[in-house]
Amino acid sequence: MSYTKEQVTTRKFDVVIVGAGGSGMRASLQLARAGLNVAVLSKVFPTRSHTVAAQGGVGASLGNMSEDNWHYHFYDTIKGSDWLGDQDAIEFMCREAPKVVYDLEHMGMPFDRNADGTIYQRPFGGHTANYGEKPVQRACAAADRTGHAMLHTLYQQNVQAKTTFFVEWMALDLVRDDQGDVVGVTALEMETGELYVLHAKTVMLATGGAGRIFGASTNAFINTGDGLGMAARSGIPLQDMEFWQFHPTGVAGAGVLLTEGCRGEGAILLNSNGERFMERYAPTLKDLAPRDFVSRSMDQEIKEGRGCGPNKDYILLKLDHLGAETIHKRLPSVYEIGVNFANVDITKEPIPVVPTIHYQMGGIPTNINGQVVMPTEGDYNVPVNGLYAVGECSCVSVHGANRLGTNSLLDLLVFGKAAGNHIIEFTKNTSHKDLPANAADASLERLNRLDNAGGGEYSQTVANDIRSAMQAHAGVFRTQASMDEGVVKIAALRERAKGIGLQDNSKVFNTARIEALEVENLIEVAQATMVSAAARKECRGAHTVLDYEHPADHPTAPLGRDDANWMKHTLWHSADNSLSYKPVRMQPLTVESVPPKVRTF
Ligand SMILES: Cc1cc2nc3c(=O)[nH]c(=O)nc-3n(C[C@H](O)[C@H](O)[C@H](O)COP(=O)(O)OP(=O)(O)OC[C@H]3O[C@@H](n4cnc5c(N)ncnc54)[C@H](O)[C@@H]3O)c2cc1C
């Protein structure tokens, strides 16, 4: 055995946060400023977390450039979510939005400015004024590097507040005691390959998205859903995992994202006839309809033979009419991506794009304080003591079945801060609970299984097969037959994942070990997605199943949503690969509920 119990070192903190993206660092800042002893773990240097890649902006109804207020934002988010978002959480987020953006401004975030000194805001998909009447300028932006500016601002503030960072550490498993309370995590230090138990009063998962379960993704390679895997393995269900967002404009063939900010600045999508086809699908918002709408419309054009290029398999994004000056000022990274990944000068010619996996709407269920919640008899939302989740790995749920662009960076800030504040209250009156004697056993078992399976399968072969299966069976358009097939394939891949082995058991910077451990998280997320999707017998938001009909009185609306039977959240349980459901919270905190209606734009 390469790993033994005796070699495991224990360290103690008030709070351990797994993840140094925007959500983890917004929370850690709150905690460190309050004087708590907080450790933040990250697989990569903090400012390399995927938040750094966010381009377009963070949504807040500041009303700097066109009339706006949080009620419009609230309405847009509910309609965008296809009525699967919880209205209390959505109200909380939209009301808090201006405050958290101003917080960032005061920390020194270099937003673009208007002539009067206020923050520059651009239009974004699905964000409207006056309840759907026309696009509104709500996305607060720092050129097309908003996430970069945000993450660096948060990192610098954390350094000042004396947050402890554990860089190139990979958390493996949650430690729960016999009452089910979370009392720490196990983690591998990549440099030495040693295993640690980090003992804490509170653990927070902020591990970001899992876009790497798909073959073509805008996500960073580290986005393997580790927090979701950790939660699932320790008995916590995953919520609404059937809902995955395809971003309309990934560079064809490369997957790299071109921000929706392009269309916010006025870019348009064209088919092979040179037609601005979104005018047909969404007469009011056109190219700025929500992402599920635009992605479906693009795939429809391709399916009907109006795709561009020799194989008619992509759509063109046209920007040259914006003028070189605007492009270089507002979209400098998009210009560079065009040159580097498509050999296209976007100031002169259109760029080939296809819908590409981008964001998971589902995740670890939480309440608006960031506390992870589980169903128990009679109550759907009982907090798990000692465990919080924020950011893309969590599901609060503000995005429901389809997220609006800019609402994720907002979600990180609002719920990162709120969870931080809640933990401060919680830890004030608590001391550390004892670690159970078997704290590291599950992780030791995983590590030794890999080390001992010398002749086992190579992890990346299994990972690639998971990605191909997800790509084939959980795409923009799904069918019941294809999803059912996907469920069988993923179950077989789960068995294969058990047989992964390492050729080289050395400890120092053994990246093969890290990748193999990541595959155990990928498979949890993939199975949650496939099984939840195959069970949902309707279309809603990003979950589009071709077996259903358009609503009789709305032939241009999305295929059939079934509110009577399916306006409910899915919960997937890893232990027995089963599903349960819980109601959507339709009651906002202070205003009236927005009742469901047909979704047209
Ligand atoms: C290309 C791109 C552009 C985007 N643009 C926008 C935009 O303009 N506006 C918007 O609102 N949203 C945007 N999004 C979405 C948004 O950026 C993400 O949802 C958000 O940044 C995720 O933040 P996070 O804090 O949850 O996680 P991340 O920023 O992904 O950070 C995850 C952290 O967890 C760590 N981690 C993961 N697993 C482990 C482990 N096992 N052990 C230790 N550490 C671990 C990682 O090292 C990292 O530090 C974009 C996304 C992409 C991919």
mmCIF file of all heavy atoms in Angstrom, residues 422-449:
data_model
loop_
_atom_site.group_PDB
_atom_site.id
_atom_site.type_symbol
_atom_site.label_atom_id
_atom_site.label_comp_id
_atom_site.label_asym_id
_atom_site.label_seq_id
_atom_site.Cartn_x
_atom_site.Cartn_y
_atom_site.Cartn_z
ATOM 1 N N HIS A 422 -23.117 34.451 6.783
ATOM 2 C CA HIS A 422 -23.820 33.439 7.562
ATOM 3 C C HIS A 422 -22.837 32.582 8.363
ATOM 4 O O HIS A 422 -23.095 32.246 9.517
ATOM 5 C CB HIS A 422 -24.671 32.562 6.636
ATOM 6 C CG HIS A 422 -25.743 31.816 7.360
ATOM 7 N ND1 HIS A 422 -25.593 30.506 7.745
ATOM 8 C CD2 HIS A 422 -26.970 32.212 7.803
ATOM 9 C CE1 HIS A 422 -26.693 30.124 8.385
ATOM 10 N NE2 HIS A 422 -27.544 31.128 8.425
ATOM 11 N N ILE A 423 -21.696 32.270 7.753
ATOM 12 C CA ILE A 423 -20.686 31.459 8.457
ATOM 13 C C ILE A 423 -20.135 32.231 9.653
ATOM 14 O O ILE A 423 -19.891 31.664 10.719
ATOM 15 C CB ILE A 423 -19.543 31.060 7.495
ATOM 16 C CG1 ILE A 423 -20.079 30.089 6.433
ATOM 17 C CG2 ILE A 423 -18.379 30.430 8.256
ATOM 18 C CD1 ILE A 423 -19.094 29.790 5.320
ATOM 19 N N ILE A 424 -19.940 33.525 9.486
ATOM 20 C CA ILE A 424 -19.414 34.332 10.597
ATOM 21 C C ILE A 424 -20.351 34.190 11.803
ATOM 22 O O ILE A 424 -19.911 33.946 12.927
ATOM 23 C CB ILE A 424 -19.259 35.808 10.170
ATOM 24 C CG1 ILE A 424 -18.170 35.917 9.092
ATOM 25 C CG2 ILE A 424 -18.911 36.695 11.364
ATOM 26 C CD1 ILE A 424 -18.119 37.250 8.373
ATOM 27 N N GLU A 425 -21.645 34.291 11.550
ATOM 28 C CA GLU A 425 -22.632 34.119 12.619
ATOM 29 C C GLU A 425 -22.543 32.718 13.226
ATOM 30 O O GLU A 425 -22.529 32.542 14.440
ATOM 31 C CB GLU A 425 -24.055 34.287 12.047
ATOM 32 C CG GLU A 425 -24.451 35.723 11.843
ATOM 33 C CD GLU A 425 -24.376 36.521 13.135
ATOM 34 O OE1 GLU A 425 -25.024 36.118 14.111
ATOM 35 O OE2 GLU A 425 -23.643 37.545 13.166
ATOM 36 N N PHE A 426 -22.459 31.718 12.358
ATOM 37 C CA PHE A 426 -22.497 30.319 12.785
ATOM 38 C C PHE A 426 -21.261 29.947 13.605
ATOM 39 O O PHE A 426 -21.356 29.288 14.627
ATOM 40 C CB PHE A 426 -22.610 29.425 11.541
ATOM 41 C CG PHE A 426 -22.438 27.954 11.785
ATOM 42 C CD1 PHE A 426 -23.487 27.192 12.304
ATOM 43 C CD2 PHE A 426 -21.232 27.322 11.497
ATOM 44 C CE1 PHE A 426 -23.328 25.832 12.521
ATOM 45 C CE2 PHE A 426 -21.063 25.963 11.722
ATOM 46 C CZ PHE A 426 -22.109 25.222 12.236
ATOM 47 N N THR A 427 -20.088 30.398 13.152
ATOM 48 C CA THR A 427 -18.854 29.959 13.825
ATOM 49 C C THR A 427 -18.633 30.691 15.149
ATOM 50 O O THR A 427 -17.895 30.230 15.996
ATOM 51 C CB THR A 427 -17.611 30.175 12.943
ATOM 52 O OG1 THR A 427 -17.710 31.450 12.360
ATOM 53 C CG2 THR A 427 -17.476 29.119 11.876
ATOM 54 N N LYS A 428 -19.310 31.855 15.320
ATOM 55 C CA LYS A 428 -19.154 32.624 16.558
ATOM 56 C C LYS A 428 -19.423 31.758 17.786
ATOM 57 O O LYS A 428 -18.694 31.807 18.770
ATOM 58 C CB LYS A 428 -20.145 33.802 16.533
ATOM 59 C CG LYS A 428 -19.467 35.120 16.642
ATOM 60 C CD LYS A 428 -20.366 36.332 16.780
ATOM 61 C CE LYS A 428 -21.837 36.218 16.488
ATOM 62 N NZ LYS A 428 -22.444 37.465 16.028
ATOM 63 N N ASN A 429 -20.465 30.955 17.694
ATOM 64 C CA ASN A 429 -20.896 30.200 18.876
ATOM 65 C C ASN A 429 -20.551 28.723 18.818
ATOM 66 O O ASN A 429 -21.135 27.924 19.518
ATOM 67 C CB ASN A 429 -22.412 30.342 19.043
ATOM 68 C CG ASN A 429 -22.825 31.784 19.025
ATOM 69 O OD1 ASN A 429 -22.168 32.606 19.663
ATOM 70 N ND2 ASN A 429 -23.856 32.104 18.265
ATOM 71 N N THR A 430 -19.647 28.326 17.963
ATOM 72 C CA THR A 430 -19.346 26.892 17.875
ATOM 73 C C THR A 430 -17.852 26.653 18.054
ATOM 74 O O THR A 430 -17.024 27.533 17.811
ATOM 75 C CB THR A 430 -19.726 26.302 16.498
ATOM 76 O OG1 THR A 430 -19.086 27.083 15.495
ATOM 77 C CG2 THR A 430 -21.203 26.260 16.277
ATOM 78 N N SER A 431 -17.533 25.444 18.487
ATOM 79 C CA SER A 431 -16.133 25.035 18.488
ATOM 80 C C SER A 431 -16.011 23.867 17.507
ATOM 81 O O SER A 431 -17.011 23.367 17.000
ATOM 82 C CB SER A 431 -15.698 24.626 19.896
ATOM 83 O OG SER A 431 -16.681 23.783 20.442
ATOM 84 N N HIS A 432 -14.778 23.418 17.262
ATOM 85 C CA HIS A 432 -14.592 22.306 16.335
ATOM 86 C C HIS A 432 -15.239 21.045 16.897
ATOM 87 O O HIS A 432 -15.075 20.740 18.077
ATOM 88 C CB HIS A 432 -13.094 22.025 16.129
ATOM 89 C CG HIS A 432 -12.439 23.014 15.215
ATOM 90 N ND1 HIS A 432 -12.003 24.248 15.636
ATOM 91 C CD2 HIS A 432 -12.126 22.932 13.896
ATOM 92 C CE1 HIS A 432 -11.464 24.888 14.616
ATOM 93 N NE2 HIS A 432 -11.524 24.115 13.544
ATOM 94 N N LYS A 433 -15.953 20.323 16.056
ATOM 95 C CA LYS A 433 -16.405 18.989 16.465
ATOM 96 C C LYS A 433 -15.239 18.027 16.275
ATOM 97 O O LYS A 433 -14.330 18.302 15.484
ATOM 98 C CB LYS A 433 -17.591 18.544 15.590
ATOM 99 C CG LYS A 433 -18.886 19.309 15.872
ATOM 100 C CD LYS A 433 -20.057 18.676 15.156
ATOM 101 C CE LYS A 433 -20.603 17.465 15.926
ATOM 102 N NZ LYS A 433 -21.710 16.801 15.214
ATOM 103 N N ASP A 434 -15.276 16.887 16.970
ATOM 104 C CA ASP A 434 -14.171 15.927 16.826
ATOM 105 C C ASP A 434 -14.152 15.331 15.427
ATOM 106 O O ASP A 434 -15.200 15.116 14.818
ATOM 107 C CB ASP A 434 -14.336 14.778 17.837
ATOM 108 C CG ASP A 434 -14.064 15.255 19.250
ATOM 109 O OD1 ASP A 434 -13.392 16.304 19.404
ATOM 110 O OD2 ASP A 434 -14.554 14.589 20.194
ATOM 111 N N LEU A 435 -12.951 15.034 14.950
ATOM 112 C CA LEU A 435 -12.828 14.289 13.697
ATOM 113 C C LEU A 435 -13.126 12.827 13.987
ATOM 114 O O LEU A 435 -12.661 12.296 14.995
ATOM 115 C CB LEU A 435 -11.391 14.366 13.172
ATOM 116 C CG LEU A 435 -10.956 15.576 12.359
ATOM 117 C CD1 LEU A 435 -9.476 15.443 12.026
ATOM 118 C CD2 LEU A 435 -11.774 15.732 11.088
ATOM 119 N N PRO A 436 -13.871 12.146 13.119
ATOM 120 C CA PRO A 436 -14.059 10.708 13.343
ATOM 121 C C PRO A 436 -12.746 9.953 13.083
ATOM 122 O O PRO A 436 -11.885 10.443 12.346
ATOM 123 C CB PRO A 436 -15.112 10.322 12.303
ATOM 124 C CG PRO A 436 -15.080 11.395 11.273
ATOM 125 C CD PRO A 436 -14.565 12.640 11.927
ATOM 126 N N ALA A 437 -12.616 8.778 13.695
ATOM 127 C CA ALA A 437 -11.369 8.015 13.558
ATOM 128 C C ALA A 437 -11.127 7.614 12.102
ATOM 129 O O ALA A 437 -9.998 7.475 11.664
ATOM 130 C CB ALA A 437 -11.446 6.766 14.438
ATOM 131 N N ASN A 438 -12.229 7.468 11.348
ATOM 132 C CA ASN A 438 -12.068 7.014 9.954
ATOM 133 C C ASN A 438 -12.038 8.175 8.963
ATOM 134 O O ASN A 438 -12.362 8.004 7.782
ATOM 135 C CB ASN A 438 -13.196 6.036 9.588
ATOM 136 C CG ASN A 438 -14.565 6.729 9.616
ATOM 137 O OD1 ASN A 438 -14.667 7.915 9.971
ATOM 138 N ND2 ASN A 438 -15.608 6.012 9.241
ATOM 139 N N ALA A 439 -11.640 9.379 9.437
ATOM 140 C CA ALA A 439 -11.753 10.588 8.613
ATOM 141 C C ALA A 439 -11.151 10.417 7.219
ATOM 142 O O ALA A 439 -11.702 10.886 6.235
ATOM 143 C CB ALA A 439 -11.107 11.766 9.331
ATOM 144 N N ALA A 440 -10.006 9.741 7.114
ATOM 145 C CA ALA A 440 -9.314 9.682 5.819
ATOM 146 C C ALA A 440 -9.557 8.374 5.081
ATOM 147 O O ALA A 440 -9.036 8.178 3.976
ATOM 148 C CB ALA A 440 -7.809 9.880 6.039
ATOM 149 N N ASP A 441 -10.345 7.476 5.663
ATOM 150 C CA ASP A 441 -10.436 6.117 5.101
ATOM 151 C C ASP A 441 -10.923 6.067 3.649
ATOM 152 O O ASP A 441 -10.358 5.358 2.818
ATOM 153 C CB ASP A 441 -11.351 5.234 5.970
ATOM 154 C CG ASP A 441 -10.659 4.833 7.262
ATOM 155 O OD1 ASP A 441 -9.563 5.389 7.541
ATOM 156 O OD2 ASP A 441 -11.197 3.981 7.991
ATOM 157 N N ALA A 442 -11.979 6.834 3.353
ATOM 158 C CA ALA A 442 -12.536 6.774 1.993
ATOM 159 C C ALA A 442 -11.489 7.232 0.975
ATOM 160 O O ALA A 442 -11.317 6.625 -0.085
ATOM 161 C CB ALA A 442 -13.786 7.635 1.895
ATOM 162 N N SER A 443 -10.768 8.280 1.309
ATOM 163 C CA SER A 443 -9.753 8.788 0.372
ATOM 164 C C SER A 443 -8.583 7.819 0.270
ATOM 165 O O SER A 443 -8.038 7.600 -0.823
ATOM 166 C CB SER A 443 -9.245 10.153 0.828
ATOM 167 O OG SER A 443 -10.313 11.056 0.898
ATOM 168 N N LEU A 444 -8.174 7.235 1.401
ATOM 169 C CA LEU A 444 -7.077 6.248 1.365
ATOM 170 C C LEU A 444 -7.457 5.082 0.464
ATOM 171 O O LEU A 444 -6.653 4.610 -0.343
ATOM 172 C CB LEU A 444 -6.785 5.731 2.785
ATOM 173 C CG LEU A 444 -6.025 6.700 3.697
ATOM 174 C CD1 LEU A 444 -6.058 6.207 5.140
ATOM 175 C CD2 LEU A 444 -4.585 6.875 3.213
ATOM 176 N N GLU A 445 -8.708 4.680 0.577
ATOM 177 C CA GLU A 445 -9.173 3.551 -0.238
ATOM 178 C C GLU A 445 -9.100 3.906 -1.722
ATOM 179 O O GLU A 445 -8.626 3.129 -2.545
ATOM 180 C CB GLU A 445 -10.608 3.210 0.192
ATOM 181 C CG GLU A 445 -11.129 1.858 -0.273
ATOM 182 C CD GLU A 445 -11.762 1.907 -1.657
ATOM 183 O OE1 GLU A 445 -12.371 2.933 -2.011
ATOM 184 O OE2 GLU A 445 -11.614 0.923 -2.390
ATOM 185 N N ARG A 446 -9.520 5.125 -2.067
ATOM 186 C CA ARG A 446 -9.475 5.545 -3.482
ATOM 187 C C ARG A 446 -8.037 5.593 -3.985
ATOM 188 O O ARG A 446 -7.724 5.111 -5.076
ATOM 189 C CB ARG A 446 -10.091 6.943 -3.635
ATOM 190 C CG ARG A 446 -11.594 6.983 -3.481
ATOM 191 C CD ARG A 446 -12.114 8.421 -3.530
ATOM 192 N NE ARG A 446 -11.957 9.025 -4.841
ATOM 193 C CZ ARG A 446 -11.992 10.351 -5.060
ATOM 194 N NH1 ARG A 446 -12.163 11.187 -4.061
ATOM 195 N NH2 ARG A 446 -11.850 10.822 -6.283
ATOM 196 N N LEU A 447 -7.165 6.184 -3.181
ATOM 197 C CA LEU A 447 -5.765 6.330 -3.623
ATOM 198 C C LEU A 447 -5.100 4.968 -3.796
ATOM 199 O O LEU A 447 -4.399 4.721 -4.784
ATOM 200 C CB LEU A 447 -4.982 7.174 -2.602
ATOM 201 C CG LEU A 447 -5.368 8.659 -2.581
ATOM 202 C CD1 LEU A 447 -4.817 9.342 -1.330
ATOM 203 C CD2 LEU A 447 -4.853 9.360 -3.844
ATOM 204 N N ASN A 448 -5.350 4.081 -2.849
ATOM 205 C CA ASN A 448 -4.695 2.770 -2.924
ATOM 206 C C ASN A 448 -5.274 1.902 -4.036
ATOM 207 O O ASN A 448 -4.556 1.122 -4.654
ATOM 208 C CB ASN A 448 -4.761 2.065 -1.569
ATOM 209 C CG ASN A 448 -3.774 2.705 -0.589
ATOM 210 O OD1 ASN A 448 -2.666 3.075 -0.990
ATOM 211 N ND2 ASN A 448 -4.176 2.868 0.656
ATOM 212 N N ARG A 449 -6.567 2.077 -4.307
ATOM 213 C CA ARG A 449 -7.162 1.317 -5.417
ATOM 214 C C ARG A 449 -6.466 1.697 -6.733
ATOM 215 O O ARG A 449 -6.111 0.831 -7.534
ATOM 216 C CB ARG A 449 -8.672 1.599 -5.485
ATOM 217 C CG ARG A 449 -9.378 0.866 -6.602
ATOM 218 C CD ARG A 449 -10.894 0.789 -6.426
ATOM 219 N NE ARG A 449 -11.494 1.957 -5.796
ATOM 220 C CZ ARG A 449 -11.796 3.091 -6.450
ATOM 221 N NH1 ARG A 449 -11.540 3.207 -7.734
ATOM 222 N NH2 ARG A 449 -12.347 4.099 -5.797
#
